[in-house]
Amino acid sequence: MSTEKKKKNKAVPLIILLVCLCALVLATAIVKKANVEKESSEDTGEETITVVDRSSLTVTALSWKDEKNDVSLTYSNDSWIYDKDGHYPVDQTVVAAMAQSAAKVEAALKVDASAAGENEDYGLAQPVLTVTAAFSDGSECIYTFGSTNTFNSCQYMQVSGDDSIYMVKTTVAEAFGKSLEDIYADETYVLRADGATSDKVTSIVIETASGAVKEINDEDGISALFEKVYSLNLTDMEDYYADAEKMKSAYGISETGTRVTVNYTVASASQDDDGETVSVNVPKAYKVYIGSAVPSENGDQEISGYYYSPDGSTVVYSADAETIDAILGYLSYEPAADTAED
């Protein structure tokens, strides 16, 4: 047998081995791809595991705690109340959605119990978020959320009374991990809600504690002053609850103090004597009370802003001094001669 033929015979087993190895690698890749596709399919909600379903019950209390937040609320008289301060304006819609999420929780995957590690391996020994929900039947569920799996972007979770470890979408925890500011109910800005514009304003009246009264009713004056008043849009909140006594003592706001009233009309549908639907202009008034100056952070005498609050509100806001000074400057306003004649 020639040397060349012997070399070829020796190469055959090596070639077969390489072919087998390639086939094994290919098969492993196919299996991994199938597993990834399966997990991806489950993670998108096509196949889910119901961990808790108490949607037929009412959530009566809800609390959550993480590194930054520790919030607890109670459902009473059809409203969610912040336990530490019953006056805190809770956004009922936001918390109702959280309660709904707590009543029914679904997972994308369940960790194989036979291969499961310790809670430390999943971040559950020191959870990043703990949520507690109490229900109308007296039961309670405690959800603990751990670390996030980088492979499928799911977060590990456990629920009280169940030793299983689940993998849920990160949005599940995000539904609960809210700050107190996130559940704050912004006050309705009536002028914006009514769609008020300067052409719908009939007059703007400025009154002071000393008894001075100025009514602006010419088109130019209304247009310019309305822009200033409209900018008091309830954004810089200083105190979310102040009763009448605190309004006066702490913020210089009272019914007899400085106030600005915008009189305007809102279109409303009505029926005439013939039963036809017609549009009528309904008169409305929006009043804002202006209080004392905001104390300077530097302790100097320069006034940076003033407190204000809309009529009927318990919330105190602040506005910059330039805007308030411009509004009060209209106490000495006189319309142009041609405008007055018109």
Side-chain angles (χ1 to χ4, degrees):
M1 184 179 293
S2 67
T3 304
E4 184 178 347
K5 189 173 182 180
K6 285 181 180 180
K7 288 181 179 180
K8 286 182 179 179
N9 289 339
K10 289 181 179 180
V12 171
L14 181 59
I15 294 172
I16 294 173
L17 181 60
L18 289 173
V19 170
C20 291
L21 181 60
C22 289
L24 180 60
V25 171
L26 180 59
T28 302
I30 292 173
V31 170
K32 284 185 177 181
K33 184 176 184 296
N35 288 337
V36 170
E37 289 177 347
K38 180 181 178 182
E39 290 180 355
S40 176
S41 174
E42 291 175 340
D43 192 34
T44 56
E46 293 179 9
E47 295 180 29
T48 57
I49 302 168
T50 300
V51 180
V52 171
D53 188 357
R54 300 187 183 180
S55 51
S56 61
L57 301 174
T58 300
V59 179
T60 57
L62 187 65
S63 64
W64 59 96
K65 184 177 182 179
D66 58 21
E67 185 180 0
K68 297 180 179 179
N69 307 296
D70 187 358
V71 182
S72 61
L73 304 110
T74 300
Y75 190 65
S76 177
N77 296 323
D78 298 327
S79 295
W80 284 100
I81 299 171
Y82 178 45
D83 290 343
K84 293 182 179 179
D85 188 347
H87 293 300
Y88 189 82
V90 176
D91 191 319
Q92 300 297 315
T93 302
V94 171
V95 179
M98 295 173 67
Q100 186 177 14
S101 297
K104 185 175 182 179
V105 176
E106 295 179 329
L109 297 166
K110 184 177 181 180
V111 176
D112 187 353
S114 62
E118 300 298 325
N119 281 357
E120 290 82 356
D121 300 329
Y122 306 102
L124 293 167
Q126 294 181 323
V128 296
L129 173 67
T130 302
V131 178
T132 303
F135 299 89
S136 51
D137 66 348
S139 61
E140 183 181 81
C141 280
I142 301 175
Y143 304 100
T144 54
F145 296 87
S147 56
T148 300
N149 185 299
T150 56
F151 180 72
N152 58 12
S153 299
C154 282
Q155 192 169 7
Y156 294 108
M157 185 204 75
Q158 275 188 311
V159 60
S160 55
D162 186 349
D163 293 332
S164 301
I165 298 175
Y166 299 92
M167 301 183 75
V168 299
K169 294 181 181 180
T170 54
T171 52
V172 176
E174 290 169 1
F176 302 110
K178 299 183 183 299
S179 67
L180 195 59
E181 289 74 19
D182 291 333
I183 63 170
Y184 175 80
D186 290 323
E187 205 169 19
T188 300
Y189 185 37
V190 176
L191 290 179
R192 182 181 292 117
D194 285 344
T197 51
S198 62
D199 60 309
K200 297 177 182 178
V201 176
T202 55
S203 69
I204 301 177
V205 181
I206 305 174
E207 301 171 88
T208 68
S210 62
V213 179
K214 185 69 175 183
E215 181 175 356
I216 313 297
N217 50 28
D218 68 289
E219 184 177 338
D220 291 341
I222 286 175
S223 178
L225 180 54
F226 178 75
E227 182 180 351
K228 299 295 183 183
V229 178
Y230 194 88
S231 68
L232 303 179
N233 53 9
L234 316 183
T235 53
D236 297 324
M237 188 262 290
E238 295 286 338
D239 190 341
Y240 60 78
Y241 179 78
D243 57 20
E245 182 180 349
K246 187 177 181 182
M247 279 279 188
K248 187 174 182 178
S249 61
Y251 303 109
I253 296 171
S254 70
E255 292 184 354
T256 57
T258 302
R259 61 264 189 206
V260 180
T261 304
V262 179
N263 298 299
Y264 61 103
T265 61
V266 176
S268 178
S270 181
Q271 286 189 332
D272 60 18
D273 295 337
D274 298 326
E276 297 291 333
T277 300
V278 295
S279 179
V280 296
N281 291 322
V282 178
K284 293 194 68 175
Y286 180 73
K287 183 181 293 186
V288 175
Y289 295 99
I290 298 174
S292 55
V294 178
S296 173
E297 294 182 358
N298 300 324
D300 54 30
Q301 299 299 313
E302 183 179 353
I303 296 176
S304 60
Y306 291 87
Y307 297 116
Y308 73 93
S309 182
D311 186 33
S313 174
T314 59
V315 185
V316 178
Y317 304 89
S318 63
D320 61 89
E322 182 180 359
T323 298
I324 298 299
D325 289 342
I327 292 173
L328 298 182
Y330 275 80
L331 283 165
S332 58
Y333 171 80
E334 293 297 335
D338 55 345
T339 303
E341 292 176 0
D342 292 343

